[in-house]
Amino acid sequence: MTAGMAGTAPAETPDDMAKRFGAREAVEQASLSPDGNYVALVQPLAGQGGAVYVIDLRGSGQFKPTRILVADGKPERIASCSWASAKRLLCTVFGMVELAIGDIGPVSRVLAIDLDGQNMKMLGTGRGNGRALGYDLFGGSIIDWSTGVDGHVLMTRRYVPEETVGSRAAQTKDGLGVDDVDSATLRSVPMERPRPDADGYLSDGRGAVRVMTVRTSDAAGYVRGRQRHLFRSKAGGPWQALSESDETGNGFEPHHVDFDGDLAYGLKRINGRVAAFSKSLDGKATENCCLPTRKSMWMASSLLAAITERSASPMSSTSVKYFISIRPWRNWPTRWRKHCPTCR
């Protein structure tokens, strides 16, 4: 009987297998509002399109999603949406576009929109009256959702200088900087001046920029494969050296700042394997290993993903320590411990 049933099962066609293999998630990203009353979902549409739905979680349980934003995927696609306040969302949209020089390049923008789909605005850097001396492809990224002011975020922005000949209102800033942006009015206050060599910034989750990454160049001006990471103390002051790293994982590369512990969490290669480390930001540069990995980067990356996962309020050092202590040091396999002699 089993043989007969197996023989009558319909054969799967190549089209069926292709659809199953290429199927996208029903929900690509979700974000809960700070007051817990709403959830925003990014869901796929036909092709590479997507839409943002907002669901009101209050009431009797009859949750009806409201679509507030749509991208057809030609070329705009929705990467993510998160809450700047209980009523305002910031959504990152990206796509591949053809440039004037004939090349294809990625472009991104950050849109601000109310939970009912109204009052949509783009968080751009603003242009002067001069001719831009380059492409403005990067629309910025949010590095801090909890600045202490409702609706405000800390945002990295890349500034493209403009030609000043014949124009007194040309934009002369150059490089990557950080601004405090009001998502409702789009007014911004510079927090870190743009630098041509800046490659990224990290906030402490309380509205202060604590770590900056800069690219290194040789005497001829060519960018090298190493990066320098600088930090600023809680009390403020000038940037100080934290570490150096390269693209192969050698050296401490910071990924998250813990305000309460005054630490930076990051990755570093030990004896050919990558592990998650912490490094103090008090000027002593005290380094401790958190979790050595058995293979290459996947477990350390998972740890950093969990550490950097944020809700409406910044993650406390207590929750970080709890995550790290899920597997106590004494229970780690010997094959892990021998690759991280400094772990205790």
Side-chain angles (χ1 to χ4, degrees), residues 124-138:
T125 56
R127 290 284 306 277
N129 294 330
R131 183 172 64 88
L133 301 179
Y135 290 108
D136 184 13
L137 301 179
F138 176 60

Side-chain angles (χ1 to χ4, degrees), residues 156-296:
T156 61
R157 288 168 152 179
R158 188 169 299 282
Y159 287 83
V160 178
E162 299 174 347
E163 189 177 50
T164 58
V165 177
S167 175
R168 296 183 178 179
Q171 199 286 114
T172 58
K173 297 178 182 178
D174 184 13
L176 191 69
V178 179
D179 295 338
D180 182 320
V181 182
D182 185 336
S183 62
T185 66
L186 302 191
R187 293 191 181 95
S188 63
V189 176
M191 300 294 290
E192 294 294 333
R193 63 178 181 83
R195 292 179 47 151
D197 60 345
D199 214 28
Y201 298 89
L202 294 177
S203 165
D204 62 0
R206 306 292 176 87
V209 181
R210 297 291 306 278
V211 174
M212 175 176 63
T213 297
V214 297
R215 298 182 298 273
T216 60
S217 303
D218 57 23
Y222 291 100
V223 176
R224 298 166 52 196
R226 295 190 63 82
Q227 295 178 319
R228 290 190 300 121
H229 308 287
L230 311 174
F231 80 96
R232 179 181 286 140
S233 68
K234 272 189 177 182
W239 289 108
Q240 305 176 54
L242 176 66
S243 63
E244 288 194 12
S245 65
D246 60 25
E247 54 192 11
T248 64
N250 294 313
F252 178 78
E253 180 182 2
H255 286 258
H256 172 75
V257 173
D258 179 358
F259 174 85
D260 294 326
D262 202 17
L263 301 169
Y265 290 95
L267 301 177
K268 179 180 177 181
R269 188 176 295 277
I270 297 292
N271 297 328
R273 300 168 184 248
V274 176
F277 276 77
S278 68
K279 201 162 189 175
S280 65
L281 300 179
D282 55 4
K284 300 178 181 179
T286 304
E287 190 174 86
N288 289 292
C289 178
C290 303
L291 178 64
T293 64
R294 182 174 54 177
K295 293 272 187 180
S296 120

